[in-house]
Amino acid sequence: MDSARVLPQDQVVRLVAQADAREFSLFLGAGASRSSGVPLASELIAEWRRTAFEEQAGGAGDFEAWCKLQTGWYEKPTEYSDLFELLYPDERARQKFIEPKIEAAFPAWGYLYLANIIRAGHFNLVFTTNFDDLVNEALTRFIGYNAVVCAADSEVGSINASTARAKIIKLHGDYLFKKLKNTVDELARLTANMERKFAEFARQCGMVVLGYAGADQSIMELLDALLKDPETFPRGIYWGVHDPDRKPPEALARLLAAHPKRLFLFRCEDFDAFMALLHDKLGLPAPLTIAEPLKSARASVDRLLAETTERQRANTMIQAHAEHLKEQLGGAIAQVAETDVLELFEAELALGQRDHATALAYAQRYADAHPRDARALTIWGTALMMRSEDSGDRDAAEAASAKWREAIKCDPKWTTARYNLVRYHAQRQEYREAIAEGEALLEKAGRDANLKLSLAQLYGSVSRTREALQLVEQLLAEDAGNAPLHLLHAALLEQRGRPVEALDAVERALQIAPANAWLRIQAAQCYARLARPLQAGSEFNQAVQLDPRNANFRIQAAMFFLAANQAPQALLHLREAARLEPESAEVRGWLATAHLTMGANAEARREIDAALQLDPDESRLLATAGQIYAAANDPASAERYLQQAIAINPQVIPPNVLLAQLYARSQRWDRLNETLQRIAAIDPQAARMLQQQLQAQFGGGMQPAPYGAPGYGGANAPASTPAQRFFDWLGGGGQR
């Protein structure tokens, strides 16, 4: 490596410290956790080599010579993955191997400093390939701060970049869950939602990489693709390397050669030293001088001091803080009499790991001794809500809300419980109750921008657009550069009947963040609602150009073009979405709809059959299949699919309407009567309209035209056909 191209650590620390709080995200690899007791990949490889030697060669002969003969994995770039899969073939076995390695870890000084830096507002976003929970554990154990932790692909889409709460995104999963990424195939690509969210954040901030060698194809290929886009990583990527004179790994070398003006290496002694230096540069106080968290984390502090390594003691800042801690522990903190406060702390830690059973046990025990402690009651309620989310237990959710209300009675100034109640009622679509709690909370937290935004959205949900507009305009007065706020402003102006101002708000949002694909999708939908189809189509197309690997954006664009009678354009987007997500039943279903719209019945049947193979119990797909097979003049198949759709979701009108039309065409009056009665029970007006439509189409006695053709019946048709008698009977109240 050319050491002249490697920046000094002090320079990078200065750049990060001087930047605004959200101008950089942090990316952590395994090296960051080494001093916390998590083994490096190289150490695991050494262990696995020895295991393979013992099992395959019986431990006989020269170990090094035997390893060199294993050309399938020895010293290959993928040796970690190859050996792990060879020795532990199924994912559960791999998880069981990882668990004890991770559970023994304890957040060391680097994580302690990082926790305090996050609490101070810097590094609002942390990406990590690590399975451990050390960032979150340091935050909860030492600081008493609960970050948003996401390790599941299904959850990451809901992570909002604009929220103040820190976010930890675990790109390869969490050791507590089965889905970990370890093997070559698993590391070849991130899950689709993870990729999309990573790309979304890449357009908003630069990145600092620590403790990561770049061995994952999924990460390195994605970084390469993103760096080709000049709108990503606006502050660049600063990548810490321990030994600048050592040749970098092949994947990192390629990335550096391809993007020399956007990717910068810097000398980084280790994770602990970097965080200590940045903590000092930011002028933050020693993190453990905060009284309450230190009291409740007394045992953790003891362990932190006991496990400080010689290398860490050599760092002057760490040593100074360690000495200061010892003084504190020997003073007032050591005299704290409440040992049971640790139970409450343990409950919070368990919540951070989604272990609601343990959290409940600790919280209940503490609350028994302190029945009017608002914090304990709030934690108790949160554990109950977590149980409800995991098991679907509605009683637990109601018990959670009761605990939060009890906490508020004990301490009317306690805001955390009210925040929880706002979310609880909003999720249940109990908007009036959510608004009441939000308004009460706003009196005590009037400067909370996130609360104002939530309350504005709640007002919008109940058409109280005047109040919603007032709150959004207050927020814009404080943060005029917030593009998503301008879009919300546009939607509210639109609802208030002010379309010209709404369009201006959309334009302002796009001026602020022209390269934000998500924003362009929202703008496109705004334009569509405001009857500006040309602008809407243009924005949809620009969004997918900005984020071409986002299948969801492709689907939304296709839905718009189908509604705009531009099926060929929709088909282009759907074919690309199917290439990106070949196992998506939703994409196949929309492809079937597009082909049906274009009259390509054979292609429509092929796609809907493929969709139903992927998801045979999706009622919308079954209804689409019914429509397609009716159009293909296969009424038996159409009836079967529509009945399946209705059996799954009886309250949905469209499959019932399609079935009624099918029965009318085949003059199956009893079945038609049953279907109309079912529709009338759901929506009487819809039933009356359908009855009138069917009478106009079939009541005149003409043979039905092909499905979907106009012009059924006629003024001069015979009036006394079985069809006409049936509709006369319906019109007379259905009395035989």
Side-chain angles (χ1 to χ4, degrees):
M1 188 186 306
D2 181 1
S3 58
R5 296 175 56 195
V6 179
L7 302 176
Q9 179 172 260
D10 286 359
Q11 180 181 351
V12 175
V13 167
R14 174 178 55 79
L15 291 171
V16 175
Q18 290 176 348
D20 290 341
R22 299 188 188 181
E23 285 194 72
F24 284 98
S25 65
L26 184 64
F27 189 110
L28 299 180
S33 300
R34 180 66 190 93
S35 63
S36 297
V38 178
L40 296 172
S42 59
E43 294 170 326
L44 293 176
I45 287 172
E47 178 181 341
W48 293 335
R49 285 177 180 176
R50 181 62 65 177
T51 301
F53 177 64
E54 296 289 341
E55 292 179 352
Q56 297 177 17
D62 185 276
F63 170 66
E64 293 295 337
W66 180 85
C67 285
K68 291 176 182 178
L69 293 175
Q70 310 311 306
T71 55
W73 48 260
Y74 183 67
E75 292 191 342
K76 286 179 62 177
T78 56
E79 183 175 1
Y80 173 94
S81 302
D82 292 333
L83 266 177
F84 202 3
E85 190 170 15
L86 175 69
L87 297 173
Y88 302 90
D90 65 275
E91 65 179 30
R92 179 56 183 160
R94 292 192 287 273
Q95 185 200 24
K96 294 296 287 183
F97 175 86
I98 289 290
E99 279 180 6
K101 305 287 186 185
I102 301 300
E103 288 175 346
F106 180 82
W109 285 95
Y111 283 109
L112 171 62
Y113 288 124
L114 174 58
N116 207 39
I117 289 168
I118 289 173
R119 187 190 66 83
H122 294 269
F123 288 142
N124 179 261
L125 174 65
V126 179
F127 289 103
T128 179
T129 56
N130 301 341
F131 304 135
D132 62 59
D133 200 35
L134 290 169
V135 181
N136 189 46
E137 188 177 351
L139 282 165
T140 55
R141 187 181 290 271
F142 294 119
I143 306 296
Y145 181 104
N146 290 316
V148 176
V149 182
C150 182
D153 178 72
S154 59
E155 298 173 353
V156 74
S158 64
I159 301 290
N160 188 342
S162 64
T163 59
R165 193 173 169 195
K167 294 157 278 289
I168 303 166
I169 299 180
K170 306 180 81 168
L171 298 167
H172 287 170
D174 189 301
Y175 81 99
L176 293 171
F177 302 97
K178 231 176 116 176
K179 267 299 185 198
L180 302 178
K181 285 181 170 284
N182 278 298
T183 68
V184 173
D185 288 343
E186 291 166 348
L187 293 172
R189 183 169 177 180
L190 293 178
T191 53
N193 289 333
M194 282 290 186
E195 279 195 0
R196 282 196 288 270
K197 188 56 65 173
F198 192 93
E200 177 187 329
F201 282 122
R203 293 189 175 90
Q204 300 176 34
C205 54
M207 192 163 72
V208 177
V209 180
L210 298 172
Y212 183 61
D216 304 328
Q217 177 184 339
S218 57
I219 303 295
M220 301 306 281
E221 287 191 356
L222 181 58
L223 285 176
D224 185 40
L226 290 172
L227 283 166
K228 291 174 182 174
D229 180 353
E231 299 294 334
T232 61
F233 301 114
R235 292 297 303 269
I237 298 177
Y238 292 87
W239 196 301
V241 291
H242 177 66
D243 185 358
D245 297 321
R246 185 179 178 184
K247 183 179 179 181
E250 183 179 344
L252 178 55
R254 284 199 304 268
L255 204 63
L256 188 63
H259 310 285
K261 294 184 178 180
R262 308 194 60 207
L263 174 62
F264 310 98
L265 300 186
F266 71 95
R267 184 188 300 270
C268 180
E269 180 185 344
D270 60 32
F271 172 69
D272 297 303
F274 179 89
M275 285 299 160
L277 190 60
L278 178 60
H279 189 271
D280 184 63
K281 194 72 173 179
L282 289 167
L284 298 176
L288 294 179
T289 58
I290 306 164
E292 288 306 313
L294 188 55
K295 290 178 184 177
S296 63
R298 193 164 55 250
S300 300
V301 173
D302 283 332
R303 183 173 173 183
L304 178 72
L305 291 170
E307 296 189 7
T308 300
T309 65
E310 290 300 325
R311 184 184 183 90
Q312 290 168 340
R313 288 192 187 95
N315 184 291
T316 55
M317 276 175 277
I318 292 176
Q319 182 60 26
H321 286 148
E323 292 300 324
H324 184 57
L325 255 184
K326 289 176 184 177
E327 291 177 11
Q328 288 183 313
L329 287 171
I333 292 171
Q335 299 169 16
V336 174
E338 290 187 77
T339 56
D340 58 351
V341 76
L342 289 173
E343 290 183 336
L344 202 56
F345 177 65
E346 292 290 350
E348 289 182 314
L349 283 182
L351 285 179
Q353 297 175 343
R354 292 201 68 83
D355 182 358
H356 53 75
T358 300
L360 275 172
Y362 279 117
Q364 284 181 265
R365 194 154 55 235
Y366 184 87
D368 287 343
H370 306 80
R372 295 190 57 77
D373 189 302
R375 183 182 174 200
L377 292 166
T378 302
I379 293 170
W380 190 346
T382 303
L384 285 167
M385 182 57 68
M386 193 175 289
R387 173 195 282 178
S388 172
E389 292 167 354
D390 289 349
S391 65
D393 183 352
R394 290 182 61 86
D395 291 341
E398 292 174 5
S401 69
K403 289 298 174 190
W404 292 330
R405 291 190 186 94
E406 188 179 346
I408 293 167
K409 286 181 182 177
C410 292
D411 184 357
K413 296 180 180 180
W414 181 250
T415 59
T416 306
R418 284 199 188 275
Y419 278 110
N420 290 344
L421 281 171
V422 172
R423 286 192 292 270
Y424 167 75
H425 289 302
Q427 287 169 357
R428 292 164 63 97
Q429 298 185 354
E430 297 169 351
Y431 298 123
R432 185 176 301 174
E433 293 84 350
I435 287 169
E437 294 294 347
E439 289 174 339
L441 189 53
L442 197 62
E443 294 177 5
K444 298 175 175 59
R447 296 186 59 81
D448 188 329
N450 288 326
L451 175 61
K452 288 182 179 179
L453 179 59
S454 297
L455 198 51
Q457 292 167 335
L458 288 167
Y459 283 143
S461 298
V462 295
S463 300
R464 291 173 60 179
T465 53
R466 182 178 63 83
E467 293 100 318
L469 201 59
Q470 288 175 346
L471 283 175
V472 169
E473 288 175 349
Q474 286 178 29
L475 291 169
L476 283 171
E478 300 169 1
D479 187 5
N482 189 320
L485 261 183
H486 282 290
L487 271 186
L488 179 57
H489 192 211
L492 291 168
L493 289 167
E494 177 190 337
Q495 291 179 50
R496 299 285 291 171
R498 295 156 64 180
V500 175
E501 294 171 81
L503 286 170
D504 287 343
V506 172
E507 296 294 343
R508 279 196 293 275
L510 293 174
Q511 288 169 6
I512 293 166
N516 187 315
W518 176 86
L519 198 67
R520 287 200 176 272
I521 286 286
Q522 304 305 311
Q525 292 170 343
C526 264
Y527 280 129
R529 290 194 303 270
L530 292 165
R532 296 290 184 99
L534 291 178
Q535 289 99 323
S538 173
E539 292 302 331
F540 275 120
N541 285 330
Q542 287 190 63
V544 297
Q545 287 172 10
L546 287 167
D547 194 354
R549 301 172 71 181
N550 191 322
N552 184 46
F553 286 179
R554 297 271 184 184
I555 293 171
Q556 292 187 58
M559 290 169 65
F560 164 77
F561 287 117
L562 281 173
N565 295 318
Q566 299 180 48
Q569 181 79 351
L571 202 58
L572 291 174
H573 287 299
L574 289 169
R575 282 173 174 159
E576 181 60 21
R579 188 188 68 79
L580 293 167
E581 299 288 349
E583 301 301 312
S584 169
E586 182 185 15
V587 173
R588 295 289 173 189
W590 280 110
L591 268 171
T593 300
H595 284 304
L596 178 64
T597 303
M598 297 174 69
N601 289 345
E603 290 85 349
R605 288 199 305 275
R606 184 190 69 231
E607 292 296 344
I608 199 62
D609 289 347
L612 287 171
Q613 283 184 353
L614 293 165
D615 192 350
D617 301 320
E618 168 54 56
S619 62
R620 289 172 297 181
L621 292 176
L622 289 164
T624 302
Q627 185 178 11
I628 288 169
Y629 276 90
N633 203 24
D634 184 351
S637 296
E639 181 182 3
R640 184 177 74 254
Y641 283 124
L642 291 170
Q643 287 176 339
Q644 289 177 25
I646 293 165
I648 292 170
N649 198 342
Q651 298 299 309
V652 175
I653 295 288
N656 281 289
V657 170
L658 289 168
L659 194 60
Q661 292 172 334
L662 198 67
Y663 289 144
R665 289 173 62 199
S666 59
Q667 301 190 20
R668 297 166 66 184
W669 309 122
D670 289 342
R671 288 298 182 89
L672 176 56
N673 183 37
E674 292 171 6
T675 307
L676 286 170
Q677 287 180 352
R678 188 165 56 243
I679 296 171
I682 303 168
D683 187 341
Q685 184 177 358
R688 285 193 295 272
M689 292 175 63
L690 177 61
Q691 180 181 328
Q692 293 168 3
Q693 175 195 355
L694 293 175
Q695 185 167 7
Q697 291 177 339
F698 300 107
M702 291 182 65
Q703 290 296 319
Y707 180 83
Y712 292 98
N716 300 318
S720 187
T721 64
Q724 186 61 56
R725 288 196 296 273
F726 171 75
F727 287 112
D728 288 343
W729 169 73
L730 277 180
Q735 300 297 320
R736 292 194 183 275

